Amino acid sequence: LAFGRNAKVGLSGGFGSIDVGRQYDIVDSMYGNYDAMGSSGYSANGALSGAGAVGDTIIRQNNAVIYSTPSMGGLSAAVMWAPGENKTAAASAGSNYGVMVNYGNGPLGIGGGYQANKATGATAATTHYILGASYDMGVAKLYAQYDAGKVKSAAAGADYEDKGFSIGASIPFGAMRLQTAYAKEDTDNSAGAQTKSTKAFGLLAMYDLSKRTYVYAAYRNLQTNPAGAANTIKTVNYGLGLVHNF
C-alpha cells in the first residue's frame, strides 16, 4: 500500500456522523480512547496492538463505512463495515465489521468494543474484544484496558488466543504533561500452552511552548518472549521532537 494514513469523507449533523474511506477501525479507536499515551508511537499499547498471534490485525481499514451516533446523555456508539476487494472464483471477498459503545460522564469514561476480520469469505474470522475505562482525579487521569482475541484455523491445533491488559496515567504539571503506561499480552495455542509473552513500558514528557506548540521526550521498552526466557527480544526506542498544530 503506497499510502498508509487516513483518507475519508463524511457527513455529520444531529443524526450523528457517517465516514467513508480508509480510517481507524473499532479496535484502534478503542485503544486510543483508553490509552494514557493516546496510542502514540511510544505507547506501551504496542504490546497489545501488534505483538500477539491475534494482535491488531489491520489498524486502518480500507473501504470502511463507520456510523457514529450523537452523544445521548454521555452514551454513544459506532458501527463499522469494511468490504474487501479480493473476490475470486473460489471464494467471496473478505470483510471486516465491528461495534463499540462508550459512556462518559464527568470524570468517568468506560467502553467496550468487538471486531471481526475475515481475510477471505472462505476463512474463519479473527475476532477481537476490548474493554476500557478512564477516570480523571484532577491531579492525574488514570486509564486501563483489557483485550482478548482469537485466531481460528482450518489446520488441526493451529488456533491461537491472545489476552492482555494495559494501565497508565496522564499527570499535568503546569505547562508540562507526563504520560506513562505499562502493558502485557500473552498468546496461548489451542492446547492452552503459552507460546509468546510480550510486555512494554512507555514514558512521554511534553512541555507546552504555546497553545499549539510543544516539545517532547519519549521512551519505550518492549520485550517479547517467543518461547522461553533465552529467546527474549528487547526493543528500546527513544524520541525527542517538536510538534506544532496548524
Side-chain angles (χ1 to χ4, degrees):
L1 180 65
F3 180 77
R5 313 307 291 179
N6 287 356
K8 62 179 182 177
V9 295
L11 294 172
S12 63
F15 62 90
S17 64
I18 298 177
D19 294 291
V20 181
R22 178 175 172 82
Q23 52 191 311
Y24 287 115
D25 58 22
I26 295 297
V27 170
D28 270 278
S29 296
M30 287 291 297
Y31 278 147
N33 288 344
Y34 302 103
D35 178 9
M37 303 178 73
S39 285
S40 72
Y42 297 94
S43 172
N45 258 1
L48 303 181
S49 64
V54 179
D56 184 5
T57 54
I58 298 180
I59 301 177
R60 296 175 180 88
Q61 298 278 357
N62 291 329
N63 305 326
V65 180
I66 298 179
Y67 167 68
S68 302
T69 71
S71 178
M72 298 167 286
L75 182 67
S76 62
V79 292
M80 179 199 74
W81 176 61
E85 300 177 347
N86 56 345
K87 181 179 179 180
T88 66
S92 59
S95 63
N96 309 284
Y97 54 90
V99 60
M100 66 177 174
V101 178
N102 291 286
Y103 176 75
N105 188 1
L108 176 67
I110 190 168
Y114 168 82
Q115 184 171 313
N117 300 329
K118 294 189 71 173
T120 72
T123 59
T126 295
T127 56
H128 204 136
Y129 306 84
I130 183 167
L131 300 172
S134 64
Y135 190 84
D136 194 341
M137 302 174 63
V139 295
K141 188 171 183 178
L142 308 179
Y143 296 82
Q145 294 186 53
Y146 172 82
D147 80 329
K150 180 175 288 187
V151 175
K152 294 183 178 180
S153 174
D159 293 355
Y160 286 89
E161 185 175 53
D162 288 349
K163 292 181 180 180
F165 71 91
S166 71
I167 54 175
S170 179
I171 309 168
F173 295 97
M176 182 178 174
R177 289 163 288 157
L178 183 65
Q179 298 174 344
T180 184
Y182 172 83
K184 189 176 188 296
E185 181 100 336
D186 293 327
T187 301
D188 297 338
N189 61 22
S190 57
Q194 187 178 108
T195 60
K196 192 176 185 180
S197 181
T198 305
K199 59 184 179 180
F201 171 76
L203 185 64
L204 177 65
M206 296 171 286
Y207 185 84
D208 293 327
L209 300 177
S210 68
K211 291 183 178 180
R212 297 189 297 167
T213 306
Y214 66 89
V215 292
Y216 72 88
Y219 166 84
R220 188 178 78 169
N221 187 310
L222 177 67
Q223 296 186 28
T224 303
N225 176 2
N231 297 318
T232 297
I233 300 171
K234 297 182 180 180
T235 304
V236 178
N237 300 100
Y238 301 93
L240 186 65
L242 180 146
V243 174
H244 179 76
N245 295 303
F246 292 93

